[in-house]
């Protein structure tokens, strides 16, 4: 689906204008219909027979998990994938003209969230033993000392089925480096070491498997079913407009476009929105470091928002000057050497000097 999505976007670029707007909607609809047919063919080959057993294995794994706050949400997801599976199979037997209108959302749902079912179905793994209380205390003290001197390097983090956050780390002591696993937030009090392993591969085989990670927005759009983006003029084009401008109004217009807050928001507006969204993500990590970085990104977003307003004010003032560049700023002509006339005899070549004639007496 990812490959098909890229191919479709490449084909749609041929029916868009330079700002990304669809200008030939009938051709765009035909391209999307071909995309849907190709996706249906791929689903029939790869998932038509295995989707049911996959969902069954995922439900069995869920039944064996300890109850958590998100268990029911996973069950709801599996139910919706089962519904989409039935709709896709039904559409596979309908005429191609009708299938493209309804089935693409179900195909996109499987492409985006089918990995959750596969992830859950793989959680039948039985983890190995962890440290005893005495071993955990000893290794935790060693790891805390290493953390204070910067000798504890975090490698990877995930959540287990029981809700614990597990983090792999390298513990460096003198000339040795040990692979250990922690539970809890490494930046907050209360974390502890639960195991030591020969290498990362052994750790992955021994520790509890990761459950599917979360999403920032539960109602977020799928990358396979995104709405059309509003047109935005690139910053490079605005820069070119300023470079080629003759009057203050043109430069003012470029700056106002960069700070526009309407539907086709300007790049400066999108940039501070990006910072705010990244701040929400950092806060959603629910860790000490995530809260710190979220506050930092929030502050940067506010600064950029303030800067955008300042740029907008300056642009309006610049436009009010009603001025043009003075005429003494004459453009330099290009450096083009004139070609000799056709009847002109080329100049004779300079005489070649031998070593003997070139040497002074």
């Amino acid at each position: 689906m990812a490959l098909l999505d890229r191919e479709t976007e490449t084909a749609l670029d041929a029916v868009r204008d330079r700002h990304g707007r669809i200008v030939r909607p009938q051709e765009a609809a035909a391209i999307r219909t071909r995309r849907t047919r190709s996706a249906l063919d791929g689903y029939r080959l790869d998932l038509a027979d295995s989707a049911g057993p996959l969902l069954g294995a995922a439900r069995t794994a869920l039944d064996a998990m300890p109850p958590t706050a998100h268990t029911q949400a996973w069950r709801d997801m599996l139910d919706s994938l089962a519904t989409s599976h039935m709709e896709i199979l039904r559409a596979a037997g309908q005429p191609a003209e009708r299938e493209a209108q309804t089935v693409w959302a179900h195909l996109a749902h499987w492409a985006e969230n089918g990995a959750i079912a596969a992830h859950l179905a793989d959680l039948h793994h039985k983890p190995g033993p962890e440290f005893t209380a005495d071993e955990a205390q000893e290794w935790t003290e060693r790891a805390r000392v290493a953390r204070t001197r910067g000798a504890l390097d975090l490698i990877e983090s995930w959540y287990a089925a029981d809700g614990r956050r597990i983090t792999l780390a390298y513990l460096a002591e003198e000339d040795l480096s040990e692979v250990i696993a922690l539970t809890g937030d490494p930046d907050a009090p209360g974390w502890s070491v639960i195991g030591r392993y020969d290498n990362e591969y052994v750790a992955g085989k021994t520790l509890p498997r990761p459950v599917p990670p979360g999403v920032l927005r539960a109602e977020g759009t799928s990358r396979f079913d995104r709405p059309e983006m509003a047109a935005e003029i690139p910053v490079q084009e605005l820069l070119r407009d300023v470079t080629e401008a003759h009057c203050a109004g043109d430069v003012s217009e470029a700056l106002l476009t960069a700070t526009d807050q309407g539907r086709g928001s300007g790049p400066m507006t999108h940039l501070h929105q990006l910072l705010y969204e990244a701040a929400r993500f950092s806060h959603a990590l629910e860790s000490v470091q995530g809260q710190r970085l979220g506050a930092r990104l929030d502050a940067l977003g506010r600064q950029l928002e303030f800067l955008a307003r300042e740029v907008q004010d300056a642009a309006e003032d610049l436009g009010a000057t009603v001025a043009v560049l003075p005429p003494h700023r004459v453009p330099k002509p290009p450096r083009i050497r004139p070609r000799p006339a056709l009847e002109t005899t080329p100049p004779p070549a300079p005489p070649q000097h031998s070593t003997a004639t070139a040497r002074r007496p």
Side-chain angles (χ1 to χ4, degrees), residues 185 187 279 281-295:
D185 185 350
D187 297 303
F281 180 92
S282 296
H283 285 301
L285 294 175
E286 299 181 3
S287 64
V288 171
Q289 191 70 356
Q291 304 309 305
R292 292 172 183 165
L293 291 173

Side-chain angles (χ1 to χ4, degrees), residues 49-77:
D49 296 330
S50 57
L54 175 65
L55 293 174
R59 289 192 177 96
T60 301
L62 266 180
D63 293 338
M65 288 184 190
T68 59
H70 42 267
T71 303
Q72 185 56 47
W74 282 335
R75 294 189 189 280
D76 294 341
M77 176 61 71

Side-chain angles (χ1 to χ4, degrees), residues 261 268-269 271-277 279-280 283 291-311:
Q261 297 184 9
M268 286 195 73
T269 302
L271 184 54
H272 72 68
Q273 290 172 349
L274 171 64
L275 290 174
Y276 285 143
E277 195 72 358
R280 290 191 187 96
H283 285 301
Q291 304 309 305
R292 292 172 183 165
L293 291 173
R296 183 178 174 185
L297 289 166
D298 266 328
L300 290 171
R302 288 192 298 271
Q303 292 176 25
L304 189 57
E305 191 172 7
F306 172 78
L307 179 61
R309 289 196 298 267
E310 288 293 301
V311 171

Side-chain angles (χ1 to χ4, degrees), residues 252-275:
S252 172
E253 184 64 28
L255 293 176
L256 290 174
T257 300
T259 57
D260 184 21
Q261 297 184 9
R263 183 177 183 276
S265 299
M268 286 195 73
T269 302
H270 282 152
L271 184 54
H272 72 68
Q273 290 172 349
L274 171 64
L275 290 174

Side-chain angles (χ1 to χ4, degrees), residues 182-224:
L182 325 171
T183 58
D185 185 350
D187 297 303
W191 59 270
S192 61
V193 179
I194 60 172
R196 176 264 170 203
Y197 311 94
D198 292 335
N199 51 56
E200 296 176 50
Y201 177 78
V202 174
K205 288 291 187 180
T206 307
L207 289 165
R209 294 281 175 86
V211 297
V215 294
L216 179 60
R217 296 177 180 271
E219 71 285 358
T221 60
S222 164
R223 67 174 177 144
F224 301 106

Side-chain angles (χ1 to χ4, degrees), residues 165-177:
R165 175 182 170 183
I166 297 177
T167 303
L168 277 186
Y170 287 125
L171 172 61
E173 292 178 322
E174 297 179 353
D175 294 333
L176 298 177
S177 181

